[in-house]
Amino acid sequence: MSCPGRHVAIDDTRLWIVERGEGFPVFVLHGGPGLDHHEFADHLDPFGERYRLILVDQRAQGRSDPAPEHTWTLERMAQDVIMLALALGLKRYAVLGHSFGAFVALRNAVDYPGQAAATIVSAGIASVRYLEASAEHLARLEPPELRERIARSIERESEATTAEQLEEIMRDQWPFSFADPLDPRIAVFVERSAGILSVDVLRHFEASGYGGVELEDRLGEVPQPVLVINGRHDRVCPIEASVAMARDLPRSELVILENSGHMGFVEESESYLSAVGGFLDRSVG
């Protein structure tokens, strides 16, 4: 869903943000890499009744301005949250990151402990080694013709050069992210979440191991409350990663959505909204 947005200047670029609702501010970081804030469509809008959602097109993605390629790192994107907060004059805020955005949100919590009043890690990992399980999950995916189509799309990632090619790749891969790869809601989600795709950012992170997430040894440094939420059947960022993360974070809450894959806010939207909303109410409300 499209909403009016604006550019916000930080130290070396401008980031595009879209704001919905009023109340305590919550930065919302999209997945990908290479997607934009449209990934969430209007699924999070019910939070706008009591929270100010600040949906961010992360560095060099979506409508955000270009930025030097050497700054396309998880570390710099985590710092961008701090810079955005300064630019917007926010002293207290929460951070919600989903998938790749969860990598950034967790990095922000580790590198800037206590700067966010609360952090939500939605379908994330603390170590890149957990991504290795995706190949095993794909090998067992049914039906075979869908499995083969997804495998071919993964091979095309390193060769994609246009937004149109990336759009086709994502359309082929979205079923892998749902507990039921034939879920009829997938087509609706793809239509509702269509945005501006950044193929160069995808290729950059695909070639660098998606940022090389390795934060397990530093989770004990995070002082703020952290909600770790994921679907039981996530094939991308497996539930084992969420369980281990919640165990090692000092002030964590773990929520497992029993009927979801990687896209809990779509697959079990009411449960997702209830869990995240309740956590925010307890932590910052």
Side-chain angles (χ1 to χ4, degrees), residues 6-38:
R6 61 188 172 109
H7 281 110
V8 176
I10 59 173
D11 52 331
D12 67 337
T13 188
R14 295 190 307 166
L15 301 180
W16 181 261
I17 66 170
V18 171
E19 299 179 79
R20 299 176 186 167
E22 299 179 357
F24 191 90
V26 181
F27 287 108
V28 181
L29 309 178
H30 62 79
L35 303 182
D36 70 1
H37 74 276
H38 289 93

Side-chain angles (χ1 to χ4, degrees), residues 5-283:
R6 61 188 172 109
H7 281 110
V8 176
I10 59 173
D11 52 331
D12 67 337
T13 188
R14 295 190 307 166
L15 301 180
W16 181 261
I17 66 170
V18 171
E19 299 179 79
R20 299 176 186 167
E22 299 179 357
F24 191 90
V26 181
F27 287 108
V28 181
L29 309 178
H30 62 79
L35 303 182
D36 70 1
H37 74 276
H38 289 93
E39 177 189 23
F40 297 103
D42 57 356
H43 288 285
L44 304 184
D45 282 10
F47 290 137
E49 297 177 0
R50 57 191 190 277
Y51 292 102
R52 173 187 173 189
L53 298 180
I54 305 172
L55 289 86
V56 182
D57 282 359
Q58 296 191 74
R59 175 171 291 260
Q61 296 165 80
R63 292 186 182 276
S64 290
D65 284 355
E69 185 171 350
H70 72 267
T71 68
W72 299 357
T73 66
L74 295 178
E75 294 89 342
R76 191 59 178 87
M77 292 178 182
Q79 184 182 350
D80 286 346
V81 176
I82 302 297
M83 303 307 294
L84 267 177
L86 289 171
L88 295 173
L90 301 178
K91 295 182 178 179
R92 294 188 74 240
Y93 54 87
V95 179
L96 185 161
H98 178 75
S99 191
F100 178 79
F103 304 175
V104 178
L106 186 61
R107 184 86 206 198
N108 173 268
V110 168
D111 285 353
Y112 305 94
Q115 289 294 310
T119 299
I120 299 157
V121 179
S122 173
I125 56 173
S127 173
V128 71
R129 64 187 172 84
Y130 285 104
L131 298 180
E132 298 172 1
S134 291
E136 299 175 10
H137 288 300
L138 180 58
R140 297 193 298 267
L141 189 70
E142 298 290 342
E145 57 270 21
L146 178 59
R147 177 172 67 241
E148 293 167 4
R149 189 172 83 220
I150 294 172
R152 288 195 299 269
S153 73
I154 294 172
E155 293 173 355
R156 299 201 309 273
E157 285 186 5
S158 61
E159 302 172 357
T161 58
T162 68
E164 291 75 18
Q165 289 172 331
L166 179 53
E167 182 177 353
E168 183 179 352
I169 287 170
M170 293 305 304
R171 187 181 299 112
D172 286 345
Q173 289 184 13
W174 279 122
F176 189 66
S177 293
F178 284 70
D180 176 5
L182 301 179
D183 193 324
R185 293 173 296 183
I186 297 174
V188 178
F189 166 74
V190 170
E191 182 178 352
R192 288 171 65 184
S193 62
I196 298 174
L197 305 184
S198 305
V199 65
D200 291 342
V201 175
L202 169 69
R203 292 180 62 189
H204 172 84
F205 278 99
E206 191 272 340
S208 62
Y210 296 95
V213 187
E214 292 299 343
L215 298 174
E216 289 180 303
D217 293 342
R218 299 181 60 193
L219 296 180
E221 303 170 17
V222 179
Q224 68 259 37
V226 180
L227 174 65
V228 180
I229 183 168
N230 202 1
R232 172 73 68 185
H233 309 287
D234 193 335
R235 303 182 188 91
V236 182
C237 296
I239 192 64
E240 293 81 5
S242 295
V243 172
M245 189 191 312
R247 179 195 64 215
D248 293 339
L249 287 161
R251 299 178 62 193
S252 70
E253 297 183 26
L254 174 65
V255 172
I256 299 174
L257 302 173
E258 295 294 342
N259 300 306
S260 293
H262 191 62
M263 303 299 290
F265 66 88
V266 179
E267 297 172 272
E268 291 183 79
S269 58
E270 290 187 8
S271 296
Y272 187 96
L273 292 171
S274 177
V276 174
F279 171 76
L280 287 172
D281 290 346
R282 290 188 298 276
S283 301

